[in-house]
Amino acid sequence: MKKFRKYLCAVLTGAMMFSMAACGSDNKSTTAASGGAATEAATTSGKVIKVGVVNNPPSESGYREANVKDMEKVFSKDNGYELKTAYSLKNDEQLQAAQGFITEGVDYLLVSAAETTGWDEVLKKAKEAGVKVYIFDRKIDVSEDLYEAMVVSDMAKEGDAAVQWLLDQNLPEYNVIHIQGAMASDAQIGRTGALDKQFESGKMKKVVQQTATWDEAEAKKIVESVINSGEDFNVIYAENDGMAKGAVAALDEAGITHGVDGKVIVMGFDCNKWALRELLAKKWNYDGQCSPFQAQIISDLIKSGKAPESKIIINEEKFFDAKTITQEDIDTYGLGD
């Protein structure tokens, strides 16, 4: 993050050209190039399209790594783009990076926000500067006139589907360890909402509800703490696969069974291939899909030069149950290796 701040400092002091060499940093703000066919927009105008992407870092999760790779593949030099990227889990740093891209004169600003709020002023400045904005991955709370489209997952629907699946298991009681993602992110809000309703109704008991900020090691610590307290639990609802993996590591060390026919139901989100293999082996019970592939949809919209029919474009998604998942499901829908 020290190097990221060097980049921000360079922007704020008036540096109009963005490169790693100029800033003397590798703050993960880069110009990416990879293979692909040239876009119609680039070939007909002969103009390179400048795109600034503000995103969460690829180290956040397997989902995010796939998302970042997809952006770099689609918005490549060979496809007629000049891609600049900035990564942070902090909303204020993302906002400063977005302002930097606007100052540099990008044609398009793409944002996956760390938090759902606080973006109004920066996006107003983008509009004033003639920079078109696409929101991807996560929704943010801004006026519709400040962006071209939101290409996102329905995080609330993901939460509803997961909780309904859990209710359908008809457990005699629900004692839940709830491990949350980064607070105030769209993913956390959506995946938490449906479960909170069950806690409030009394149908499920909240053993603990705590953020691990998408981190496997932190999730492991949360579960270890509950185990050491002696409090009973039979469900782990982790808001991404990495945190579910950390939770399971704590169970294994304590000799607590989990998965199909185990003592503890394990639930994750994102559908990494390694996580879906845990379902196939019946060591986990549930995984909710969250598609990381929004880049091509946005590129197609840029290429068309037309406004989309709807400003909100929702990725179609599934969920998987350990009792019914197949190897074909893993091969078709799994992320990564």
Side-chain angles (χ1 to χ4, degrees), residues 52-56 86 94-95 97-98 101 109-113 119 136:
V53 176
V54 178
N55 202 348
N56 297 266
Q94 286 192 338
L95 289 165
F101 289 148
L109 176 65
L110 279 54
V111 177
S112 175
W119 285 87
F136 68 95

Side-chain angles (χ1 to χ4, degrees), residues 186-199:
D186 187 45
Q188 177 272 313
I189 292 169
R191 294 170 191 171
T192 290
L195 196 55
D196 271 348
K197 291 177 183 177
Q198 298 303 316
F199 293 148

Side-chain angles (χ1 to χ4, degrees), residues 162-183:
V163 170
Q164 186 57 57
W165 176 90
L166 186 54
L167 288 169
D168 290 344
Q169 304 315 298
N170 295 315
L171 303 181
E173 59 182 7
Y174 291 87
N175 299 315
V176 183
I177 295 177
H178 179 198
I179 308 174
Q180 297 170 292
M183 300 304 290

Side-chain angles (χ1 to χ4, degrees), residues 46-62:
K47 178 179 178 288
V48 173
I49 303 170
K50 296 180 180 180
V51 175
V53 176
V54 178
N55 202 348
N56 297 266
S59 59
E60 175 204 75
S61 62

Side-chain angles (χ1 to χ4, degrees), residues 153-322:
S153 294
D154 189 335
M155 304 296 185
K157 185 177 179 181
E158 289 178 11
D160 288 339
V163 170
Q164 186 57 57
W165 176 90
L166 186 54
L167 288 169
D168 290 344
Q169 304 315 298
N170 295 315
L171 303 181
E173 59 182 7
Y174 291 87
N175 299 315
V176 183
I177 295 177
H178 179 198
I179 308 174
Q180 297 170 292
M183 300 304 290
S185 67
D186 187 45
Q188 177 272 313
I189 292 169
R191 294 170 191 171
T192 290
L195 196 55
D196 271 348
K197 291 177 183 177
Q198 298 303 316
F199 293 148
E200 291 164 6
S201 72
K203 178 70 175 178
M204 298 182 185
K205 177 185 176 183
K206 184 196 310 179
V207 175
V208 68
Q209 183 181 61
Q210 187 174 334
T211 181
T213 320
W214 312 122
D215 186 74
E216 178 182 331
E218 287 301 313
K220 183 173 185 284
K221 290 177 183 178
I222 291 170
V223 177
E224 286 174 339
S225 178
V226 176
I227 293 171
N228 291 336
S229 75
E231 189 162 3
D232 190 40
F233 63 93
N234 63 342
V235 176
I236 292 176
Y237 181 106
E239 291 183 354
N240 82 343
D241 288 341
M243 296 189 300
K245 184 178 182 181
V248 167
L251 297 179
D252 286 340
E253 289 182 7
I256 299 172
T257 61
H258 50 83
V260 178
D261 297 326
K263 178 180 184 295
V264 179
I265 285 177
V266 177
M267 304 175 67
F269 290 86
D270 289 350
C271 290
N272 291 283
K273 282 185 177 178
W274 61 263
L276 295 182
R277 292 187 194 109
E278 293 297 301
L279 265 73
L280 190 63
K282 298 186 171 23
K283 295 178 181 178
W284 292 18
N285 303 80
Y286 177 97
D287 209 27
Q289 186 185 32
C290 188
S291 173
F293 304 119
Q294 302 100 25
Q296 191 60 56
I297 297 171
I298 296 171
S299 181
D300 288 345
L301 290 170
I302 291 172
K303 175 181 173 180
S304 74
K306 299 177 182 178
E309 292 182 7
S310 172
K311 285 229 172 184
I312 307 294
I313 300 170
I314 302 294
N315 287 332
E316 290 297 320
E317 296 172 338
K318 302 174 179 290
F319 68 80
F320 298 95
D321 185 320

Side-chain angles (χ1 to χ4, degrees), residues 6-223:
K6 287 183 181 179
Y7 161 67
L8 297 178
C9 181
V11 170
L12 295 174
T13 55
M16 301 299 289
M17 298 299 294
F18 181 89
S19 73
M20 290 169 66
C23 296
S25 76
D26 61 353
N27 56 50
K28 301 177 185 175
S29 297
T30 63
T31 300
S34 60
T39 63
E40 180 181 322
T43 55
T44 56
S45 68
K47 178 179 178 288
V48 173
I49 303 170
K50 296 180 180 180
V51 175
V53 176
V54 178
N55 202 348
N56 297 266
S59 59
E60 175 204 75
S61 62
Y63 167 90
R64 188 63 54 188
E65 182 179 5
N67 181 251
V68 168
K69 286 181 178 178
D70 186 50
M71 287 285 164
E72 292 179 350
K73 177 181 177 181
V74 172
F75 295 107
S76 66
K77 182 178 179 180
D78 286 349
N79 284 343
Y81 293 99
E82 179 182 342
L83 175 63
K84 302 171 184 291
T85 59
Y87 302 118
S88 179
L89 286 170
K90 296 182 178 180
N91 215 48
D92 59 343
E93 292 179 343
Q94 286 192 338
L95 289 165
Q96 291 179 65
Q99 180 59 64
F101 289 148
I102 296 166
T103 301
E104 291 170 43
V106 297
D107 302 304
Y108 294 89
L109 176 65
L110 279 54
V111 177
S112 175
E115 297 181 14
T116 58
T117 58
W119 285 87
D120 300 77
E121 291 306 313
V122 166
L123 296 194
K124 286 177 183 176
K125 290 178 181 178
K127 184 175 182 179
E128 291 168 1
V131 177
K132 294 185 177 180
V133 174
Y134 284 92
I135 310 302
F136 68 95
D137 174 42
R138 301 169 171 181
K139 293 179 182 178
I140 58 176
D141 297 329
V142 291
S143 173
E144 283 193 357
D145 68 317
L146 297 180
Y147 60 89
E148 301 299 303
M150 286 190 187
V151 184
V152 293
S153 294
D154 189 335
M155 304 296 185
K157 185 177 179 181
E158 289 178 11
D160 288 339
V163 170
Q164 186 57 57
W165 176 90
L166 186 54
L167 288 169
D168 290 344
Q169 304 315 298
N170 295 315
L171 303 181
E173 59 182 7
Y174 291 87
N175 299 315
V176 183
I177 295 177
H178 179 198
I179 308 174
Q180 297 170 292
M183 300 304 290
S185 67
D186 187 45
Q188 177 272 313
I189 292 169
R191 294 170 191 171
T192 290
L195 196 55
D196 271 348
K197 291 177 183 177
Q198 298 303 316
F199 293 148
E200 291 164 6
S201 72
K203 178 70 175 178
M204 298 182 185
K205 177 185 176 183
K206 184 196 310 179
V207 175
V208 68
Q209 183 181 61
Q210 187 174 334
T211 181
T213 320
W214 312 122
D215 186 74
E216 178 182 331
E218 287 301 313
K220 183 173 185 284
K221 290 177 183 178
I222 291 170
V223 177

